């Protein structure tokens, strides 16, 4: 790989020539020479330098974005070639949306670690839109998401399981005490505690509102499932989350699923990748996802019910 790009990326990330030189096992003058060489080649200054800081200008941001992508692709190429004559090993960058990443992925990673200790998994958890973008930019080897995202031609998507979404409330909410069927007017009148735009869970909630032809007037947004559960437990409203996300609270009796006609709402988990080639580590991880018994059991049960 072009060492100049590697040096530039390191200087940007360390925001310091001396620290970058130490990380790269180079002298500071050598690092400075690489940066000057790149700026000469680009025909423009890329970094603003003072005695206190080193930071990118607009041109530097463009070069950094593409240099980072090039370094990621180069590393992936090395792994693919090495895989031809070696056992599964090396870094595997995994992204997951919050529901899957927080409640399902840890068990799969534990199994991966036990069976393939030389595979070093690095996990990023964010909403669906962010994970899809990171995969598209080659910053992640694979993403596991729920819901739709902005389609990109380079991405390959594979649906592999289903998820069950439920409406729930705390035990002191009047809706959990009612012995009568819950009406749409009652749901619409409740404060709703929801995930932010861009998350698959928020998309599912919007789909439910459309299904029942209403939209709550009182919505509060949180960027984590745990915050939503805490708010609902405190009696501040109702919400819709994956049943995976509230299993412990249902078991302990802190939360209760509301009996709403037409629920639960089903959505799909999808694998997102961005290369026709797979390292052994990535292929193994995808096989673990496809063969996960808990997910497969849920998927098969839903299929039979349809």
């Amino acid at each position: 790989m072009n060492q100049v790009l590697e040096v530039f990326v390191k200087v940007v990330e360390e925001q310091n020539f001396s620290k970058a030189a130490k990380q790269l096992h180079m002298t500071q003058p050598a690092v400075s020479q690489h940066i000057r060489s790149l700026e000469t080649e680009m025909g423009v200054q890329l970094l603003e330098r003072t005695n206190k800081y080193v930071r990118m200008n607009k041109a530097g941001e463009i070069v950094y974005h593409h240099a980072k992508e090039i370094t990621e692709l180069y590393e992936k190429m090395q792994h693919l070639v090495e895989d031809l004559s070696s056992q599964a090993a090396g870094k595997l960058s995994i992204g997951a949306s919050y529901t899957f990443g927080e409640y399902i992925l840890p068990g799969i990673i534990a199994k991966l670690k036990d069976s393939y200790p030389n595979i070093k998994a690095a996990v990023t958890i964010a909403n669906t839109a962010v994970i899809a973008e990171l995969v598209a930019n080659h910053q992640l080897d694979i993403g596991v998401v729920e819901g739709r995202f902005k389609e990109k031609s380079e991405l390959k998507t594979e649906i592999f399981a289903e998820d069950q979404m439920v409406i729930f409330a705390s035990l002191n909410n009047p809706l959990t005490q009612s012995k009568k069927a819950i009406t749409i007017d009652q749901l619409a009148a409740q404060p709703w505690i929801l995930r932010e735009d861009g998350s698959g869970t928020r998309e599912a909630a919007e789909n439910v509102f459309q299904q029942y032809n209403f939209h709550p007037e009182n919505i509060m947004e949180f960027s984590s499932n745990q915050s939503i559960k805490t708010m609902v437990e405190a009696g501040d409203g109702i919400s819709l989350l994956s049943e995976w996300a509230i299993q412990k609270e249902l078991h302990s009796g802190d939360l209760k699923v509301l009996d709403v006609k037409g629920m639960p709402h089903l959505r799909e988990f999808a694998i997102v990748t961005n290369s026709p080639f797979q390292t052994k580590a990535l292929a193994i991880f995808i096989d673990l996802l496809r063969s996960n018994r808990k997910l497969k059991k849920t998927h098969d049960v839903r299929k039979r019910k349809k």
Side-chain angles (χ1 to χ4, degrees), residues 16 34 42 52 67 75 89 124 128 139 177 179 209:
N16 185 282
H34 279 303
M42 293 291 106
K52 295 182 178 180
E75 184 177 341
T124 297
T128 292
Q139 292 173 264
Q177 309 295 329
K179 295 182 180 179
F209 299 153

Side-chain angles (χ1 to χ4, degrees), residues 13 71 156 196 252 288:
E13 293 177 347
T71 58
K156 179 183 177 183
E196 77 287 358
S252 64
L288 284 177

